[in-house]
Amino acid sequence: MNRAYNTFLDICGGTSAILIAFCALAVSLDVILRFFGESLMWVFEVTELLLLYVTMLALPWLARERGHICVDVLVNNLSPANAARLDVCTNMAVAAICLLITWWGGLSTVDAYSRNLTNDGLVQYSLWISRIAIPFGFGLAAIEYLRLSAQSARKGVSK
Amino acid sequence: MSGIAILSLIFGGLVGLLVIGMPIAFAFATVTIVSIIFLQGWGAPLQSFVLSIDSGVTNFTLLPIALFVLMGELLWQSNIANKALSAIDKWFGRVPGRLSLLSVASGTAFSALSGSTLANTAMLGKMLLPEMKRKGYADGMSMGPIIASGGLAMLVPPSTLAVFYATIAHISIGALLIALILPGLLLACCYGAFIVISCWLNPALAPREESSDFNLKEALRELVIYILPLSVVVFSVVGVIFMGIATPTEAAALGCVSSLIMAFCYGGLSTRKLIDAGMGTVRITGMMLLIMAMAIGFSQILAYSGGGRELVGFVSTLSLQPLMLIGLMMLVVLVLGCFMEQIAIMLITLPIFVPLLKLIDADGVWFAVMMLINLEMSLMTPPFGMLLFVMKGVAPDGTSIGSIYRASLPYLAINGLVIALILFNPWIVTILPSIMK
């Protein structure tokens, strides 16, 4: 179960990388086509939407990798047991914030879906397609921070 | 409660959360959410905050952050930098402090290809420091120039932090990227001049080499093979922005494609390295974009609290000279830089600084360049400058952190000097954007 979940997070991170590469290629192609009087009209809106997906797919993967930067001045000067206790508290707080954002993000997604809201760009898409990325990313991040809390708690007990 | 009191609580809470080690993005989210609940109530305001995450990231002008990182990762992973370093080395004969100058020259060149200060410093440290130590270079002539020139990566375009800054401060990304070229080169020249003069006055700092290796034919050959093609990558980013052919986002995309082509041509990019480059990009981009997503909500709650306006009003009653006010702002950044990470400093200070700059009618790009140089200093200011720890990681065993601190001090002073020079000579910053198409 644990392994399957970790693989799923790796897939999220990998997809995020693929989306960035796709954005690079799409924008470059658009610039090149412009020289020939053509243009890819969808590039602007689609790359903007993909940026949200890049961020939200990377969010839980980065949480697992402890890649979200923090100021570790105090933590590095604490005893291992106290550092682990503090880590449990901060991770629990982050998980709570993630859950809150997941809840409100979920409501926004349902609202966009039920009212059939669309964006007002050149390329039109239903807004729930973009909004759903937020509860997805933050929901998984909440799980991840709860797992990190449990890990730190175990570490604190063993110290 | 007055706006300034609310502002103090918001900043106090934020600093408290940062100090206990909460990730920067979530510290901003926590403070914003708690402030919303207290100031605006539960319900719709929270939904608006969540929607600001969406609108904060779905922004075409943020794409260069991801693309500049990808471009740098592709070039680092393909080992082109190692070959370029060896090619640059061929051009230094028996000048005083040859290896120190080599670190500045190659550090500056790599800065034009990548925005990663950590990778730049680590690579220069790994490749040059052992030889410098073996030849008896003093710390100030070995570790110092590597740390200083490694830090140039965050200034010389492509610079992800410049894009981040411009987005938060609402100034032109293209103008800021172009404006950073001259100050970046000026810093490199000042480092070089300091090295040559120091070694000339005290040759023991960097013992001269016995024989001259200079071979014009060999040097020209390596220049054509390894340096000139890289200038295509640099042109595909900086040149096209300067000539008005493409926007910074489009230039960043072209930079990625040309880096990919270059990496394949030099045969240094395996599937494994391509995957590493992609995941390395996600690691930095995901972190920065999430912070950016939180920054919108944070700046909105600051504006709602009215504290920023009150603070600006208070400062205007002090009748400070504009240069003194800018000097004070620089001092705040310098002090914060000793303890905090650059993105956090930007997010904390810019919502206050930007209205203050408008109050004194200062050029946003001019200030941005000074602040970015100041933030670069934070990478090498004791006790927590990140590059000092990178250097500790690659330095030979037994190198004390104290000796690394001391090695970086002269270069910190040079940075301070260049900030002062720009403060009194804004044309250093404004000349290139003014002739940009």
Side-chain angles (χ1 to χ4, degrees):
Chain A
M1 181 66 189
N2 227 7
R3 205 170 143 197
Y5 183 71
N6 280 331
T7 307
F8 176 65
L9 291 187
D10 286 335
I11 292 170
C12 287
T15 310
S16 186
I18 290 168
L19 293 181
I20 294 173
F22 175 79
C23 288
L25 292 174
V27 175
S28 300
L29 189 62
D30 188 37
V31 176
I32 293 164
L33 284 176
R34 210 164 56 206
F35 276 103
F36 301 101
E38 297 287 326
S39 181
L40 301 173
M41 301 299 281
W42 50 268
V43 165
F44 188 83
E45 262 95 9
V46 169
T47 50
E48 280 196 332
L49 175 65
L50 290 185
L51 268 180
L52 180 67
Y53 272 87
V54 164
T55 313
M56 292 305 143
L57 287 168
L59 171 52
W61 176 76
L62 266 176
R64 190 196 65 193
E65 302 284 308
R66 289 191 179 257
H68 291 291
I69 50 163
C70 50
V71 180
D72 48 12
V73 179
L74 178 70
V75 182
N76 287 344
N77 287 298
L78 291 175
S79 67
N82 283 336
R85 282 187 202 112
L86 186 61
D87 204 38
V88 172
C89 296
T90 48
N91 285 332
M92 293 288 278
V94 171
I97 288 294
C98 288
L99 282 174
L100 202 68
I101 296 173
T102 305
W103 171 252
W104 287 105
L107 287 184
S108 301
T109 308
V110 171
D111 178 51
Y113 182 78
S114 57
R115 293 200 288 146
N116 203 18
L117 298 177
T118 55
N119 69 325
D120 50 5
L122 279 173
V123 179
Q124 288 224 324
Y125 56 85
S126 299
L127 275 181
W128 69 266
I129 293 173
S130 67
R131 290 187 186 174
I132 200 170
I134 295 173
F136 176 82
F138 279 94
L140 288 176
I143 296 171
E144 207 40 51
Y145 278 104
L146 288 173
R147 285 176 73 192
L148 288 176
S149 292
Q151 272 174 24
S152 297
R154 279 196 295 273
K155 212 191 292 177
V157 169
S158 70
K159 303 279 175 192
Chain B
M1 199 186 285
S2 74
I4 290 188
I6 297 171
L7 197 68
S8 310
L9 280 175
I10 290 175
F11 280 115
L14 183 65
V15 170
L17 291 175
L18 289 175
V19 166
I20 63 166
M22 185 178 275
I24 292 171
F26 296 107
F28 277 96
T30 307
V31 167
T32 307
I33 288 174
V34 172
S35 305
I36 287 172
I37 293 171
F38 276 99
L39 296 173
Q40 300 173 324
W42 187 266
L46 280 174
Q47 197 156 350
S48 299
F49 166 67
V50 171
L51 292 181
S52 79
I53 294 174
D54 182 347
S55 58
V57 183
T58 49
N59 183 349
F60 194 64
T61 58
L62 286 177
L63 193 54
I65 291 181
L67 302 185
F68 283 160
V69 177
L70 178 61
M71 178 185 153
E73 285 284 337
L74 287 169
L75 290 172
W76 283 122
Q77 293 290 344
S78 63
N79 288 334
I80 292 176
N82 300 14
K83 291 167 184 162
L85 186 119
S86 146
I88 295 170
D89 187 26
K90 297 279 189 301
W91 285 90
F92 290 95
R94 292 187 61 201
V95 288
R98 184 182 74 91
L99 291 173
S100 312
L101 286 175
L102 174 62
S103 75
V104 173
S106 36
T108 312
F110 301 154
S111 297
L113 299 168
S114 155
S116 173
T117 52
L118 303 185
N120 209 3
T121 310
M123 199 210 64
L124 290 172
K126 271 185 214 155
M127 294 188 70
L128 293 175
L129 196 58
E131 199 185 344
M132 286 169 155
K133 288 280 179 193
R134 196 166 48 78
K135 289 186 171 157
Y137 276 54
D139 290 342
M141 287 298 126
S142 54
M143 294 187 286
I146 292 174
I147 292 169
S149 48
L152 284 177
M154 69 153 278
L155 284 181
V156 178
S159 161
T160 46
L161 279 181
V163 177
F164 197 87
Y165 181 107
T167 311
I168 298 173
H170 303 293
I171 56 174
S172 160
I173 296 173
L176 181 56
L177 288 173
I178 296 299
L180 279 164
I181 296 173
L182 269 188
L185 293 176
L186 181 64
L187 272 169
C189 290
C190 289
Y191 297 153
F194 170 74
I195 290 165
V196 172
I197 293 169
S198 303
C199 295
W200 182 58
L201 292 174
N202 182 5
L205 290 174
R208 287 207 187 193
E209 284 155 56
E210 292 303 315
S211 60
S212 168
D213 298 319
F214 188 71
N215 178 336
L216 183 65
K217 200 176 159 193
E218 179 70 10
L220 278 173
R221 194 182 77 88
E222 296 226 347
L223 177 83
V224 171
I225 298 174
Y226 296 118
I227 309 288
L228 286 185
L230 289 181
S231 60
V232 174
V233 179
V234 176
F235 176 80
S236 68
V237 178
V238 182
V240 296
I241 297 175
F242 189 76
M243 293 166 72
I245 297 171
T247 64
T249 307
E250 292 167 343
L254 290 173
C256 283
V257 173
S258 54
S259 300
L260 187 67
I261 294 169
M262 203 67 70
F264 271 118
C265 288
Y266 283 101
L269 211 56
S270 60
T271 311
R272 180 72 253 168
K273 286 184 172 178
L274 206 56
I275 292 170
D276 287 346
M279 298 319 283
T281 306
V282 172
R283 183 176 285 274
I284 298 170
T285 305
M287 176 268 292
M288 287 184 84
L289 289 180
L290 186 70
I291 295 173
M292 195 69 217
M294 299 307 172
I296 305 286
F298 180 72
S299 58
Q300 280 171 354
I301 200 71
L302 281 187
Y304 182 84
S305 75
R309 279 192 304 278
E310 281 183 30
L311 192 67
V312 173
F314 171 70
V315 172
S316 66
T317 61
L318 297 176
S319 310
L320 289 172
Q321 290 291 318
L323 286 185
M324 188 184 280
L325 186 63
I326 289 176
L328 279 175
M329 289 193 254
M330 286 294 136
L331 194 65
V332 170
V333 174
L334 189 66
V335 172
L336 287 176
C338 294
F339 307 96
M340 284 180 112
E341 201 277 335
Q342 296 149 316
I343 297 175
I345 298 173
M346 281 192 213
L347 290 180
I348 288 174
T349 57
L350 286 180
I352 306 292
F353 284 1
V354 170
L356 286 174
L357 291 172
K358 281 190 182 139
L359 181 77
I360 56 172
D361 203 21
D363 185 326
V365 174
W366 171 58
F367 181 82
V369 171
M370 288 189 288
M371 182 152 161
L372 284 168
I373 297 175
N374 202 336
L375 288 171
E376 190 218 343
M377 289 169 76
S378 74
L379 288 170
M380 44 181 181
T381 40
F384 302 115
M386 186 63 89
L387 297 185
L388 304 174
F389 296 110
V390 173
M391 180 49 68
K392 177 88 175 97
V394 296
D397 291 342
T399 307
S400 72
I401 192 78
S403 63
I404 299 174
Y405 288 167
R406 283 189 294 279
S408 70
L409 287 179
Y411 301 90
L412 278 172
I414 292 172
N415 277 34
L417 202 70
V418 169
I419 291 177
L421 207 61
I422 293 171
L423 185 65
F424 294 105
N425 300 280
W427 63 266
I428 298 171
V429 168
T430 54
I431 189 163
L432 282 183
S434 69
I435 54 175
M436 189 176 134
K437 281 190 182 170

